[in-house]
Amino acid sequence: MKIEEVRSTSKTSRVSAHTHIKGLGLNDQDGTATPVGAGLVGQMPAREACGVVVDLIKSKKMAGRALLLAGAPGTGKTALALAMSQELGPKVPFCPMVGSEVFSSEVKKTEVLMEHFRRAIGLRIRESKEVYEGEVTELTVEETDDPLGGYGRTISHVILGLKTTKGTKTLRLDPTIHDSLSKEGVTVGDVIYIESNSGAVKRVGRSDSFATEFDLEAEEYVPLPKGEVHKKREVVQDVTLHDLDVANAKPQGGRDVMSLMAAMGKSKKTEITDKLRTEINRVVNRYIDQGVAELVPGVLFVDEVHMLDMECFTYLNRSLESTLSPIVVFATNRGVTKIRGTDVLAPHGVPVDLLDRMLIVRTHPYTVEEMVHITSIRATVEDVEIEEDALALLGEIGSRTSLRYTVQMLTPARIMAETTGRTKITQEDIRQVDKLFLDGKASAKLLSKSEGFMK
């Protein structure tokens, strides 16, 4: 008899550069940052500042404001933005983009920016639906002679009996609902629900009173619904404003061959007009006034903001002041540099009038101890075993090169260890990998000695 271990069928998540980040790592009582928490190490003032911003977002008092994360490369700016998204939870929209994404041959720069702005604004719609729910006890189709003559007969109405734990009800339905019942394959003994305003039919499953009917059955058995047959149900739906834009921008063409051909011939990316957006904003505002919907301002994260040009920055000025605006988090690693497309020098490559609208959070370079700690966290996430002295050596290399270089060395070092039949990485493996590969600074130093070409 062979006994095998049953492997889990759940998908293993891919490991990316920021998989280990689970939040900002702040104390619940006073909001102060712990030295190591939720995957983040160090950067305590920056994390506390981001914690204040998260609280402002949750209390919905920061819509239309901007935050700039400024610091050297590899100091955790993107990590802080992702930690903020983890703190906000899945219900608050978080839309990341890179500054160079706005340059497209098909769509205007301002259109790409506006699209991301709209993706970052959520709308929670509460809808009250009247439904008839129960087990089908009777399904009779009443037919009459065709009024147009001929031998055929047409369906005049459908008699449907529904049963719940509290009682039964017989409904007389429109013939159009018969098509929906046929499509769902509804028979006597099925549990269904019908929306009274739209006439939509949903088959939930087979009633569990029929569970012993067959020995083998591919059906899903559900219990008899509780309560009355006719009931009100509240449905909560989360959408973004961009979803509403796209749903209304697509022309509803006919079903003939020419319409299908025209739809196929169109380019996939279409520009959404301001007129349509204004119309959708008006509808959204009406929903909010009626109390049907609730606005959820999310976060738009723009990495490498110095890649935007003057046209984008002037558009951002206007967008941040509009009534429907998300919280915008920018990140850059530039000092005083030229604004793209101009000869104007500005701090972080951002015009001064836009900088005035921002709160700026500074990130500082990591110490050797912090680099060692981050590398050990990454080693755990990537399932790499490493000796303590090898970690200390990686910290030293990181102080000479960069944190990104040390993290990238982990996997090649593991392969080196495996070739010699070991599972744990030693100092020798790290030194060998360091000889094989160059970091950015070392490469730049070599190139500075050569004149134009590599020797």
Side-chain angles (χ1 to χ4, degrees):
M1 185 179 172
K2 193 180 178 186
I3 297 171
E4 286 185 15
E5 185 188 342
V6 178
R7 292 186 183 275
S8 169
T9 54
S10 61
K11 287 184 182 175
T12 53
S13 59
R14 289 193 183 93
V15 176
S16 68
H18 298 105
T19 310
H20 59 286
I21 290 158
K22 301 288 182 277
L24 285 166
L26 304 173
N27 287 324
D28 295 334
Q29 288 82 19
D30 52 1
T32 54
T34 53
V36 180
L40 286 175
V41 179
Q43 304 292 0
M44 285 153 78
R47 279 158 59 195
E48 284 169 20
C50 289
V52 173
V53 172
V54 166
D55 289 340
L56 282 168
I57 296 166
K58 283 181 178 172
S59 60
K60 297 181 184 169
K61 286 180 182 165
M62 191 151 169
R65 311 275 178 87
L67 181 77
L68 176 67
L69 300 171
T75 53
K77 297 181 294 296
T78 311
L80 279 173
L82 291 169
M84 283 171 70
S85 81
Q86 294 278 3
E87 289 282 339
L88 290 166
K91 294 287 180 190
V92 178
F94 182 83
C95 179
M97 69 172 283
V98 185
S100 54
E101 269 183 57
V102 300
F103 300 101
S104 163
S105 58
E106 289 181 342
V107 183
K108 286 193 308 226
K109 290 178 268 196
T110 52
E111 169 62 27
V112 176
L113 270 177
M114 197 56 184
E115 183 185 306
H116 283 86
F117 258 77
R118 307 278 286 186
R119 277 183 204 272
I121 304 169
L123 195 69
R124 192 164 293 147
I125 304 167
R126 283 186 174 80
E127 206 178 347
S128 186
K129 288 183 178 177
E130 286 190 22
V131 294
Y132 291 92
E133 189 177 28
E135 180 196 323
V136 179
T137 54
E138 182 191 354
L139 183 62
T140 314
V141 180
E142 297 288 337
E143 292 179 337
T144 56
D145 291 327
D146 194 341
L148 301 171
Y151 300 105
R153 290 170 73 79
T154 58
I155 297 165
S156 62
H157 58 268
V158 179
I159 303 289
L160 183 74
L162 291 176
K163 179 177 83 172
T164 61
T165 51
K166 272 206 173 174
T168 58
K169 210 169 205 151
T170 306
L171 307 173
R172 186 186 168 98
L173 305 176
D174 191 71
T176 53
I177 295 178
H178 181 256
D179 295 337
S180 305
L181 290 167
S182 304
K183 274 181 190 170
E184 287 285 322
V186 175
T187 55
V188 174
D190 290 348
V191 174
I192 64 166
Y193 77 83
I194 304 171
E195 287 178 21
S196 58
N197 51 355
S198 64
V201 178
K202 178 81 174 76
R203 182 179 180 275
V204 182
R206 194 97 174 126
S207 174
D208 57 6
S209 56
F210 292 88
T212 54
E213 198 176 7
F214 302 104
D215 292 334
L216 282 174
E217 180 65 89
E219 281 287 355
E220 186 184 343
Y221 290 101
V222 291
L224 196 66
K226 292 172 183 170
E228 299 289 343
V229 173
H230 182 231
K231 59 184 77 150
K232 282 189 178 179
R233 181 183 280 181
E234 194 176 71
V235 180
V236 179
Q237 201 175 357
D238 285 305
V239 291
T240 65
L241 292 186
H242 178 67
D243 296 338
L244 297 176
D245 292 345
V246 171
N248 290 286
K250 286 180 182 172
Q252 307 295 323
R255 294 192 177 182
D256 57 326
V257 178
M258 290 306 292
S259 300
L260 285 169
M261 292 295 283
M264 284 165 73
K266 277 181 190 166
S267 63
K268 294 284 178 282
K269 194 94 174 157
T270 53
E271 197 166 315
I272 298 159
T273 58
D274 268 346
K275 190 181 174 186
L276 175 72
R277 287 205 171 110
T278 312
E279 195 61 43
I280 286 169
N281 286 356
R282 196 179 295 132
V283 174
V284 165
N285 286 329
R286 194 171 72 238
Y287 278 169
I288 292 164
D289 293 341
Q290 289 170 357
V292 174
E294 176 193 357
L295 202 68
V296 185
V299 179
L300 171 64
F301 175 56
V302 186
D303 210 351
E304 313 293 341
V305 70
H306 54 267
M307 289 299 292
L308 300 178
D309 59 8
M310 211 67 191
E311 190 184 334
C312 296
F313 286 129
T314 48
Y315 191 74
L316 279 172
N317 281 338
R318 198 204 80 173
S319 302
L320 283 170
E321 288 173 356
S322 67
T323 49
L324 294 175
S325 171
I327 298 94
V328 187
V329 179
F330 299 111
T332 181
N333 53 25
R334 293 289 192 271
V336 177
T337 182
K338 285 181 182 178
I339 299 168
R340 186 176 170 147
T342 68
D343 291 326
V344 181
L345 283 170
H348 312 296
V350 178
V352 181
D353 57 338
L354 184 60
L355 271 177
D356 279 347
R357 290 180 167 85
M358 295 183 192
L359 295 170
I360 300 172
V361 174
R362 174 88 196 276
T363 56
H364 298 276
Y366 290 109
T367 61
V368 177
E369 291 79 20
E370 286 169 349
M371 281 190 183
V372 168
H373 217 111
I374 293 165
T375 314
S376 71
I377 291 170
R378 288 301 305 172
T380 310
V381 169
E382 292 182 26
D383 207 14
V384 173
E385 290 180 41
I386 185 163
E387 289 179 358
E388 287 296 322
D389 54 351
L391 266 177
L393 180 61
L394 276 175
E396 283 173 36
I397 293 169
S399 62
R400 190 187 76 228
T401 59
S402 69
L403 175 64
R404 286 184 179 140
Y405 178 66
T406 53
V407 169
Q408 284 169 341
M409 284 173 76
L410 283 172
T411 312
R414 183 180 68 180
I415 292 163
M416 284 286 181
E418 283 172 356
T419 51
T420 54
R422 285 179 285 105
T423 55
K424 243 183 184 180
I425 296 169
T426 60
Q427 274 190 337
E428 191 52 45
D429 299 322
I430 302 292
R431 286 197 186 95
Q432 211 169 344
V433 169
D434 199 23
K435 281 177 192 170
L436 287 173
F437 300 105
L438 283 175
D439 63 281
K441 287 177 185 174
S443 181
K445 201 173 178 182
L446 282 171
L447 290 173
S448 65
K449 293 173 186 174
S450 62
E451 295 172 9
F453 297 99
M454 290 185 75
K455 288 180 181 176

